[in-house]
Amino acid sequence: MIQTIAKQRWFYLIPIAFITYSLAYLDRANYGFGAAAGLAKDLHITPGISSLLGSLFFLGYFFFQIPGASYAEKKSAKKLIFWSLILWGGLASATGLIHNINLLFVIRFALGVVESAVMPAMLVFLSHWFTKAERSRANTFLILGNPATVLWMSIASGYLLKAFGWRWMFILEGLPAVIWAFIWWKVVNDKPKDAKWLSTQDKNELELQLEKEQAGLKAVKNYREAFKSKPVILLSIQYALWSIGVYGFVMWLPSIIKAAPNMGIVETGWLSSVPYILAVILMLSASYFSDKTLNRNAFVWPFLLIGAVAFYISYAIGTNHFWISFFLLVIAGGAMYAPYGPFFAIIPEILPRNVAGGAMALINSMGALGSFVGSYVVGYLNGATGGFGASYIFMAGSLFLSAILTVWAINSAKKQSKSTNVKVSA
């Protein structure tokens, strides 16, 4: 029955969610290209300061996750994301106008603050529209905006940089978010009951199914109680370690590739897109089978372990064998992205709606902290050692620990559910 309820949700809402998160990711990930193509040189930014600027976004991103999730759950995800789109598009374009490094510090931090509410708000939004048996796929189509954007952005940014320079790249890539804000406001509803494009029967069936799922969960009074839950604590640490690998990779892959002999900025853009092609394929596959089996654990930790091993072997081979090393980086990149959909389906299945959004925000904020550490430390290690080997080891170790913590967290959730006679499918 679940699969036949309001199928048009997939065709109406998922493209909208995908584009919204794509635009958010575009305006955070293009800094690596700007830094590699003249921003650092023109503003006289040292490698250490460049690392700090690249990672400062995530420090701002860390602080405002939970208030954003709370506002989305209690008031309106629609309104929150509308204003976020306008503000982050404006800030991203402003990056192309500045001539003062101090303003760049302010913009990077403010961009993180504005975007911090988007991921938890979108996860809350999707949890109001998609059932347990659909949620991993819905989350995956949202988060596909991440690798899919880096894929086309890597290519487009290469051509924009070559044709217009880094300033116009930032200006042109920030404007679509502002335009999209008004489309978002026109077409989105916070909850099924407000959607004019759904029949009354579809609305009632969907709301009934979502309420049934909530009835099977142990009551949790407030955020404080949820945040003290052992699975939530473990998943927060796990996601921080996972994000070290992901954002160390995203921020510095263009620089790693461009360091190869005879590598131009356009070629760098094309090669930088390859890991994200694999990421899209693996994300769709993992989410499909995770929903089909309702097994989240089996589609999270194995991929993280594969990413860790690929990073380590790439380090062991060394930079003298660029194409073999690059192939392993493609494997690592794809494997790191694959588990996102199943991972973010875990929390709504072990916590009730009144606190699930806040718990996802806490986990995502710890991911932001890990992203800050990853993007800064990887850049620092690259500059301090004059190579990429040390950063490969750092990212491999972080992913390995995150794989172990995934298993630990899921086992804790299962034990917790047994003590309250609530079934956990993770």
Side-chain angles (χ1 to χ4, degrees):
M1 178 182 175
I2 294 172
Q3 297 299 327
T4 62
I5 298 175
K7 283 186 177 180
Q8 63 266 44
R9 290 171 300 147
W10 292 94
F11 304 104
Y12 191 91
L13 293 175
I14 291 300
I16 293 169
F18 173 83
I19 292 170
T20 302
Y21 194 62
S22 293
L23 293 173
Y25 208 80
L26 167 65
D27 290 335
R28 80 176 70 165
N30 57 6
Y31 176 80
F33 278 90
L39 180 151
K41 181 180 178 182
D42 291 351
L43 298 183
H44 308 291
I45 300 170
T46 65
I49 295 297
S50 185
S51 297
L52 180 59
L53 282 165
S55 57
L56 197 59
F57 168 92
F58 300 107
L59 196 58
Y61 197 79
F62 170 74
F63 286 108
F64 294 92
Q65 297 272 321
I66 296 170
S70 178
Y71 185 92
E73 183 63 67
K74 296 177 181 178
K75 294 187 179 180
S76 172
K78 174 181 176 177
K79 186 181 294 185
L80 180 63
I81 292 170
F82 170 76
W83 286 110
S84 296
L85 278 160
I86 292 174
L87 289 170
W88 90 57
L91 286 165
S93 291
T95 306
L97 302 175
I98 56 100
H99 294 270
N100 186 317
I101 191 173
N102 293 325
L103 288 176
L104 187 56
F105 276 107
V106 173
I107 287 173
R108 290 299 297 175
F109 182 79
L111 192 61
V113 171
V114 171
E115 284 195 32
S116 65
V118 177
M119 180 65 165
M122 291 299 291
L123 290 169
V124 167
F125 173 76
L126 292 178
S127 74
H128 291 165
W129 280 93
F130 294 92
T131 64
K132 179 178 178 179
E134 304 167 320
R135 206 162 285 141
S136 178
R137 282 168 293 157
N139 290 344
T140 292
F141 281 114
L142 167 68
I143 302 168
L144 271 176
N146 176 324
T149 299
V150 180
L151 195 162
W152 68 261
M153 183 271 291
S154 297
I155 299 168
S157 293
Y159 284 107
L160 286 173
L161 287 165
K162 186 174 182 180
F164 305 110
W166 66 268
R167 291 187 180 278
W168 275 104
M169 180 201 75
F170 282 114
I171 293 168
L172 293 174
E173 290 183 349
L175 292 177
V178 179
I179 297 169
W180 182 254
F182 296 93
I183 299 173
W184 164 271
W185 185 260
K186 181 71 175 175
V187 300
V188 164
N189 301 103
D190 276 302
K191 294 182 180 179
K193 64 182 178 66
D194 301 318
K196 295 180 181 178
W197 48 273
L198 277 181
S199 69
T200 302
Q201 182 181 350
D202 282 340
K203 292 178 187 180
N204 292 338
E205 287 181 356
L206 182 55
E207 292 279 5
L208 180 62
Q209 182 60 38
L210 292 168
E211 288 304 319
K212 281 182 180 178
E213 293 174 4
Q214 291 297 304
L217 296 175
K218 177 189 174 184
V220 179
K221 293 180 182 178
N222 50 40
Y223 284 168
R224 179 179 293 182
E225 185 177 338
F227 294 170
K228 291 193 295 184
S229 164
K230 187 176 180 180
V232 172
I233 293 170
L234 291 173
L235 289 173
S236 296
I237 300 170
Q238 183 266 15
Y239 195 53
L241 290 165
W242 179 3
S243 298
I244 285 174
V246 170
Y247 284 95
F249 179 86
V250 169
M251 292 298 295
W252 296 103
L253 182 65
S255 296
I256 290 170
I257 293 174
K258 196 171 186 302
N262 304 314
M263 192 66 66
I265 193 65
V266 172
E267 293 79 5
T268 298
W270 276 100
L271 288 178
S272 295
S273 72
V274 176
Y276 304 102
I277 298 173
L278 178 61
V280 169
I281 295 169
L282 292 179
M283 287 176 74
L284 290 171
S285 301
S287 65
Y288 173 80
F289 287 108
S290 175
D291 274 350
K292 191 172 183 179
T293 61
L294 288 181
N295 187 333
R296 310 307 183 194
N297 191 23
F299 296 94
V300 178
W301 73 263
F303 284 109
L304 297 177
L305 186 60
I306 290 169
V309 171
F311 268 129
Y312 180 77
I313 298 176
S314 182
Y315 155 75
I317 288 174
T319 56
N320 292 329
H321 303 280
F322 172 77
W323 290 109
I324 299 175
S325 180
F326 175 71
F327 173 76
L328 289 164
L329 287 178
V330 171
I331 298 297
M336 283 190 296
Y337 277 98
Y340 274 117
F343 178 79
F344 279 109
I346 293 172
I347 287 297
E349 294 175 6
I350 64 175
L351 290 174
R353 183 175 293 167
N354 67 307
V355 294
M360 287 189 289
L362 174 67
I363 292 168
N364 204 46
S365 68
M366 292 304 294
L369 194 60
S371 303
F372 173 81
V373 172
S375 54
Y376 179 72
V377 173
V378 168
Y380 173 80
L381 290 173
N382 291 345
T385 63
F388 304 107
S391 60
Y392 286 8
I393 289 291
F394 177 61
M395 289 186 281
S398 299
L399 289 172
F400 179 74
L401 289 174
S402 72
I404 294 173
L405 283 170
T406 303
V407 178
W408 188 5
I410 297 303
N411 287 338
S412 296
K414 287 179 178 178
K415 290 178 182 177
Q416 183 173 291
S417 69
K418 286 178 182 178
S419 67
T420 57
N421 296 317
V422 176
K423 184 178 179 182
V424 175
S425 59

